[in-house]
Amino acid sequence: MGASLIAHPSHQMLSRFYCNEQIAVNQTFELPDNVRHHAVRVLRLKQGDTIILFNGQGGEFLSEIISINKNTSTLKVFEYNEYECESPLTIELSQAICANEKMDWIIQKAVEMGVNRIQPISTTRGVIKLSSERAVKRRQHWQQIAIAACEQCGRNRLPEILPPLSLPHWLGKIKKHELSTHTNLLLLPTAEQKLSELSEQPNNPSYTLLIGPEGGFTPEEERAALHTHFVPIRVGKRILRTESAALATIAALQTLWGDY
């Protein structure tokens, strides 16, 4: 796993690593092989250096490297920090699956911008069609993209990458309570209502944002989303590419009601 150097109020320029295990103060343990490789080969960390560990469940742990080499590395956790940088918004991005590089970029930037969950969606006009085996591998790859983005941007809560679903299957799974507790937004270039024209949002609002593929939704897909009580909106008068649409809308949500 990669690590990144960031600055925040409690400490500056410390390498951050995600570790998928329980972590506690005064605990001594070995870094996973992939993390150790990056620490040694790329960052060239050494004995006595302080690093940050987080497990995606909130908060972070300051740890000292007791020993490190190409084969083993031992850490001692000495402090827990409750630092969080989560947005006041809860945002699920339901993104039509697009070309590999574009999808990676969308996931990376969406995590940096505060998205909580990402639901990959297969659509009629989508250029990427995933078999069951490929879908599992791509989900694992996308989760690694999300982890690396958290390491870079300072988030201590790991967004969930959900298993890819077809649009009809996903719409059918939306629970009734989500229709009343979430603001469900369908980005359409033909929509009459602008995002900024939505009514003022309550405290801690939740959003589900549905973004189509390169060729757009079919009329049948649009009707299905509208029938599931999605609100059609547009962001400006211009037609955005799929990799621009999600990020522009997330940025606008954060500006209007989030932490921008």
Side-chain angles (χ1 to χ4, degrees):
M1 199 69 56
S4 183
L5 302 179
I6 70 157
H8 61 65
S10 61
H11 41 264
Q12 296 183 351
M13 303 305 291
L14 296 180
S15 300
R16 289 171 42 84
F17 297 94
Y18 170 75
C19 289
N20 184 23
E21 58 182 89
Q22 294 299 316
I23 307 173
V25 175
N26 296 324
Q27 178 183 1
T28 300
F29 67 95
E30 297 290 317
L31 276 178
D33 289 343
N34 57 338
V35 175
R36 184 186 69 249
H37 179 271
H38 190 80
V40 174
R41 300 289 187 180
V42 179
L43 299 178
R44 300 190 180 278
L45 298 177
K46 59 186 183 299
Q47 182 177 338
D49 285 347
T50 298
I51 66 173
I52 297 171
L53 300 178
F54 67 101
N55 58 12
Q57 300 174 20
E60 58 192 21
F61 298 83
L62 272 67
S63 307
E64 181 182 353
I65 299 175
I66 305 302
S67 65
I68 187 167
N69 56 51
K70 65 180 181 180
N71 297 316
T72 62
S73 57
T74 305
L75 301 179
K76 177 66 176 292
V77 180
F78 65 85
E79 181 182 327
Y80 172 70
N81 190 322
E82 294 183 351
Y83 175 78
E84 298 287 358
C85 59
E86 294 299 298
S87 168
L89 305 183
T90 299
I91 303 175
E92 176 177 328
L93 170 61
S94 298
Q95 171 68 50
I97 300 170
C98 51
N100 293 342
E101 296 81 5
K102 291 181 181 180
M103 195 71 180
D104 289 357
W105 194 79
I106 292 169
I107 290 171
Q108 180 189 68
K109 302 309 175 187
V111 171
E112 291 177 16
M113 298 170 74
V115 161
N116 303 90
R117 293 198 302 176
I118 298 176
Q119 173 65 72
I121 298 289
S122 61
T123 57
T124 302
R125 294 174 179 169
V127 298
I128 301 297
K129 307 297 182 183
L130 298 177
S131 64
S132 298
E133 182 178 354
R134 285 189 64 204
V136 171
K137 291 181 178 179
R138 293 312 296 174
R139 184 191 179 196
Q140 293 171 344
H141 170 75
W142 292 329
Q143 191 68 69
Q144 295 305 310
I145 296 290
I147 288 170
C150 285
E151 290 179 332
Q152 185 277 325
C153 74
R155 292 184 68 177
N156 291 321
R157 296 189 180 273
L158 187 63
E160 183 180 10
I161 309 297
L162 298 169
L165 294 174
S166 69
L167 180 61
H169 188 185
W170 176 70
L171 289 173
K173 285 172 64 69
I174 294 178
K175 299 177 181 178
K176 288 184 178 180
H177 76 85
E178 292 181 350
L179 297 176
S180 59
T181 60
H182 288 223
T183 300
N184 299 307
L185 303 176
L186 170 64
L187 198 66
L188 290 178
T190 56
E192 296 182 0
Q193 187 176 29
K194 297 188 294 184
L195 178 64
S196 59
E197 293 172 342
L198 292 178
S199 59
E200 186 175 348
Q201 302 301 298
N203 292 331
N204 300 319
S206 298
Y207 295 90
T208 299
L209 179 60
L210 178 55
I211 304 294
E214 290 92 334
F217 291 117
T218 64
E220 293 77 15
E221 290 171 333
E222 288 186 17
R223 286 195 292 269
L226 295 175
H227 182 72
T228 319
H229 304 287
F230 274 78
V231 177
I233 60 162
R234 60 184 172 88
V235 180
K237 299 179 180 179
R238 296 155 296 283
I239 298 176
L240 302 179
R241 291 180 179 271
T242 187
E243 66 269 27
S244 304
L247 304 180
T249 308
I250 295 166
L253 287 171
Q254 295 285 25
T255 300
L256 290 169
W257 301 296
D259 58 4
Y260 280 15

